[in-house]
Amino acid sequence: MTRSPSSFGPSSDDEFLIAALRLASGHDPVPDEVAATARAAFGLRLPGAATARPLAVPAPSGIRSTGRARLLRFGADGLTVDLDVDSSGGLVDLAGRVCPPPGAGARAEVRTPCLTESRELSPTGQFAVVGLPPGWFSVVCHRPGHPPVATSWTRVRPE
């Protein structure tokens, strides 16, 4: 009688299934740091917010880039959010503009996994936040009487 290779022991698929079943049954508890990270990520949700997706940014004509700053554009729910991102010196500076300007009482919230900075929008829809840690960020525009609009999460690496 000839034995197939799978009859000599569990295959890697079987091992993954067994591991998944053990995890689901509670025999292999989720590490504390994984659970804490999951809770922190869950806390960053914004139920009811519209997600502003990246949009193409036209190349500036006649302007020479310094190589440090970059322009990002996001759009959703009738708003456009332009961000000038500078990551020089190990920290991130954001200068932004919401178009059309949402009016009195509107504010921009710049969120990172570690901190949130809130700024009132100027009458022209502008705001700035300096000294942010490099990494992931999202900008949320809060307008009175409207649901928030949040940019998709974007990663900025130090230069």
Side-chain angles (χ1 to χ4, degrees):
M1 172 167 104
T2 307
R3 298 177 87 183
S4 67
S6 63
S7 65
F8 289 113
S11 70
S12 62
D13 287 342
D14 293 337
E15 291 173 11
F16 288 129
L17 176 62
I18 291 168
L21 291 172
R22 290 183 72 203
L23 233 159
S25 69
H27 283 89
D28 286 337
V30 175
D32 290 339
E33 62 271 7
V34 172
T37 301
R39 280 190 296 278
F42 188 75
L44 293 172
R45 293 176 318 117
L46 286 173
T51 302
R53 301 283 179 204
L55 299 173
V57 178
S61 60
I63 298 175
R64 178 179 247 179
S65 171
T66 63
R68 293 185 330 203
R70 65 179 176 161
L71 182 64
L72 303 174
R73 178 170 285 162
F74 300 87
D77 202 25
L79 290 182
T80 300
V81 179
D82 286 331
L83 299 173
D84 186 4
V85 182
D86 185 349
S87 61
S88 64
L91 295 174
V92 176
D93 298 336
L94 293 178
R97 182 174 183 193
V98 177
C99 294
R107 64 185 168 87
E109 196 175 76
V110 178
R111 303 180 312 147
T112 74
C114 305
L115 63 95
T116 299
E117 293 284 338
S118 186
R119 299 289 187 270
E120 293 287 325
L121 293 179
S122 75
T124 58
Q126 296 174 318
F127 66 95
V129 177
V130 298
L132 295 168
W136 293 96
F137 74 91
S138 173
V139 175
V140 182
C141 179
H142 295 277
R143 306 169 290 167
H146 297 280
V149 174
T151 67
S152 55
W153 285 88
T154 303
R155 187 172 183 191
V156 176
R157 293 187 173 128
E159 295 191 15

